[in-house]
Amino acid sequence: MTLTRLNPGPRMSEAVTVGDIVFLAGQVPDDLTADITEQTRQVLANVDAVLAELGGSKADIASVQVWLADMADFAGMNAVWDAWVDRNNPPARATGGVPLARAGMRVEMIVVARNPAPR
């Protein structure tokens, strides 16, 4: 089984494919001063960009872990998620409240997807 790394860096790769499965690194917002809706939009745009670079789309997503710094942001995150999610191919999802790595970060998402183009 082949293991391929997308954009490896000194600490992590943007994604790792193992056979038919893709593991994305935690996707985080760019603007740590933005509210939960904007941060969620940024995270989902990052997910879309990584999947597109692999030749896929959100229809390839199998599961998502959503981490919120404050569970009071659940409704705001869901409002953006609901507008973004592929209604014909909704992934499995779990959401939890956790301390996140940087001050101001309100949401992080971990995605596991089907490898759209096995190499």
Side-chain angles (χ1 to χ4, degrees):
M1 186 173 309
T2 303
L3 185 143
T4 306
R5 299 177 197 288
L6 176 68
N7 302 324
R11 184 169 289 155
M12 64 187 153
S13 296
E14 194 165 22
V16 175
T17 60
V18 181
D20 293 338
I21 300 175
V22 177
F23 301 89
L24 275 63
Q27 299 300 304
V28 298
D30 301 316
D31 182 355
L32 302 183
T33 65
D35 67 8
I36 188 60
T37 57
E38 180 56 28
Q39 285 197 13
T40 302
R41 281 187 197 98
Q42 292 173 7
V43 168
L44 294 172
N46 292 342
V47 168
D48 286 337
V50 173
L51 291 172
E53 189 168 349
L54 292 165
S57 71
K58 60 187 157 192
D60 295 305
I61 297 173
S63 70
V64 179
Q65 294 177 31
V66 180
W67 296 348
L68 297 174
D70 184 344
M71 287 303 293
D73 285 337
F74 187 67
M77 179 276 300
N78 269 333
V80 177
W81 173 274
D82 289 347
W84 172 85
V85 72
D86 182 334
R87 297 251 180 230
N88 294 320
N89 299 289
R93 192 185 95 176
T95 304
V98 298
L100 295 175
R102 292 183 289 174
M105 188 182 301
R106 305 182 72 86
V107 60
E108 181 170 359
M109 295 187 191
I110 309 297
V111 174
V112 178
R114 167 181 59 201
N115 185 358
R119 298 167 196 223

